[in-house]
Every structure is written in structure tokens, then in C-alpha cells.
Amino acid sequence: MSDWNPALYSRYEDERTRPAQELLARVPLAQAASVFDLGCGPGNSTELLVRRFPGAVVTGTDNSEAMLASARKRLPASRFALSDIADWQPASGDAAPQLIYANAALQWVPDHARLIPRLFAALAPGGVLAIQMPDNRDEPTHRLMRELASEAPWTEAIGDYSKLRTELFSIDRYYDLLAAEAAHVDVWRTAYQHPMDSAAAIVEWVRATGLKPFVDRLPPDLQASYLAEYERRVDKAYTPRSDGKRLLAFPRMFIVAQK
């Protein structure tokens, strides 16, 4: 898959940052010295952590050089590192994290049955693991991605689309993964409702994230036809409301566990 596009991702930064703010608001820490933002993207979530914990060493990690470059430009005084969450661990010289924060990142990482307990185990005593993940695989935006990927002329180039994103567990299973070792686990699910100007705006939103792995597998001519047909079906699925806007439902899952 090609590198992520920070500019495209940031076009809806306010909407993308809102769940990051709401996740952080439920973190039960008055202070923290060592904070890690896993999958920090362009630094919008890292900025929230720097403001919340001004005395902390805050480190943002991402597997995208483009996203890290954008984050460093935004927060030149902060630490950022290239890293894959699948095998991430604190560096040998770092203090054990008091907060591991992952906003809209773990849905791209496989094997949550091992990943979530491993991240929790890396915390310092009393530390917090805070996770937010889009839970929108069953929304029309994502059902239509898969629907088109199973049709000619795109299916051969896209291949097995079932592996393009991790299928999330139920919220109670995430609770069970953490509850036996945690002092407290807080889990909840919120469906945001984003007014969008048009079907094209919805396509632009998802093209920066969920749609990207599908489109990246296609040559330019098939990319164009796939996107045109995808927008046509999105237009049918999200009908205009009374003000002419389309209401994009966006469910998200939240997990906050304290050691």
C-alpha cells in the first residue's frame, strides 16, 4: 500500500479529532511522565496529549514517514518515531509508559487477542491503555467498498479484500481481554452523525482511510471507474436530508483500562 496522505486525512480534522478528545477525557490520570501515542498520524492526537500532560515526555509513533513529517512540522518540540504497532514496545532506555494511547489506529493491526494484552502489560503500575477504533465495517460506506471489490472489472486487481482491515471483536470480548488484569475497564460505543455536503464529500472522507487499501491495488484506469461507481452507490445510500446535506453515521468503539 502506498504511503498515507496527511493533507487528505486532515481535511476533516475537526471531525477526526473529536473522538480523540472524548477518549482522552475519560483517561483517569491527573498527571503522567511517559506517554505514547501509537499511530499518531499527522499529530492531531499527539497535540491533545501534549496539552493534557505538559510535563510529560510524549512520543508519537507511526509507520508512515509522510504522517511523521507532518507531525514533526506541527509539533517540533515533541518526539516522533517510525514504528509498526504490531511489534512496538518501549525502547530499552524509556520509562514504562503511564499512558499508551491509540486513536483510530489499531483497526489496521492484526491479532487483537495478543496485541491488546501485550500493550496493557507494557504499562507502568497504575498506567492506562486508551483505545478508540472505527467500528463502521457494516455501514454503507464500507459495505459498498467490499461489494464493488467483488465485482468485475475490479475484483481481480483488488484480490482478497477480507484481509485489508482487521475485523474487530465485540465490545464485551475486549472487556474480557483486559478485565482480569485491570483495576478498572471502561468500554463504550458511540455513533457520530456527520453532516456532509455531498456524496463526493463522503468519498473524500473515506478515501483518506478505509477506502485507500482498495483503491491502491488498482491501476489508474480502474481506480477512476471504481471511484465513479462507488460515489454513485454512496449517493443512493446516503440520501439528502432536509438541508440538502448527507448524514454520515460513523460508529466508534472506545476502551480505557487502568492497570
Side-chain angles (χ1 to χ4, degrees):
M1 188 168 72
S2 65
D3 205 349
W4 296 88
N5 184 332
L8 183 59
Y9 182 89
S10 296
R11 286 179 193 171
Y12 296 97
E13 182 170 304
D14 288 349
E15 292 86 350
R16 297 189 196 280
T17 303
R18 181 180 167 190
Q21 293 169 326
E22 293 179 4
L23 174 65
L24 185 55
R26 301 280 279 270
V27 170
L29 293 175
Q31 57 186 7
S34 177
V35 174
F36 287 85
D37 183 10
L38 305 187
C40 64
N44 55 314
S45 54
T46 318
E47 188 170 25
L48 298 177
L49 297 169
V50 170
R51 290 176 180 172
R52 168 77 180 268
F53 302 107
V57 176
V58 178
T59 303
T61 78
D62 208 282
N63 64 359
S64 164
E65 290 281 16
M67 286 293 198
L68 289 172
S70 181
R72 291 185 181 109
K73 184 176 180 180
R74 181 183 194 132
L75 298 167
S78 295
R79 298 192 342 176
F80 293 96
L82 185 69
S83 178
D84 189 331
I85 296 172
D87 55 20
W88 174 85
Q89 57 185 1
S92 57
D94 288 337
Q98 287 162 309
L99 174 61
I100 297 175
Y101 180 93
N103 179 68
L106 299 193
Q107 73 275 12
W108 299 111
V109 186
D111 198 5
H112 283 193
R114 293 178 184 272
L115 174 70
I116 304 298
R118 179 175 65 78
L119 294 177
F120 187 75
L123 291 166
V128 172
L129 175 64
I131 298 165
Q132 182 274 122
M133 296 179 288
D135 192 14
N136 56 355
R137 284 176 58 94
D138 293 329
E139 293 300 311
T141 46
H142 287 62
R143 286 192 284 104
L144 291 172
M145 293 176 198
R146 300 191 297 272
E147 180 181 292
L148 277 175
S150 68
E151 298 177 8
W154 309 288
T155 185
E156 185 174 350
I158 292 175
D160 184 4
Y161 54 84
S162 68
K163 302 296 192 297
L164 296 182
R165 177 170 152 178
T166 299
E167 188 166 356
L168 301 189
F169 296 151
S170 64
I171 201 165
D172 54 344
R173 185 170 179 193
Y174 285 110
Y175 181 91
D176 288 340
L177 283 174
L178 293 162
E181 302 296 329
H184 177 71
V185 181
D186 188 10
V187 294
W188 71 100
R189 190 174 186 270
T190 297
Y192 296 86
Q193 305 289 332
H194 299 295
M196 307 294 287
D197 288 336
S198 63
I202 294 174
V203 175
E204 181 181 60
W205 172 300
V206 297
R207 190 170 180 182
T209 52
L211 190 59
K212 185 179 186 301
F214 292 83
V215 175
D216 277 0
R217 294 187 173 199
L218 297 169
D221 59 327
L222 290 182
Q223 281 191 15
S225 62
Y226 181 96
L227 288 169
E229 179 59 18
Y230 179 70
E231 183 176 329
R232 188 187 70 81
R233 297 189 193 190
V234 165
D235 184 55
K236 289 183 64 177
Y238 293 90
T239 55
R241 312 316 307 169
S242 60
D243 60 357
K245 294 185 181 292
R246 318 297 175 100
L247 205 54
L248 175 64
F250 202 126
R252 294 179 183 269
M253 187 185 299
F254 297 78
I255 305 161
V256 176
Q258 186 163 27
K259 199 167 185 179

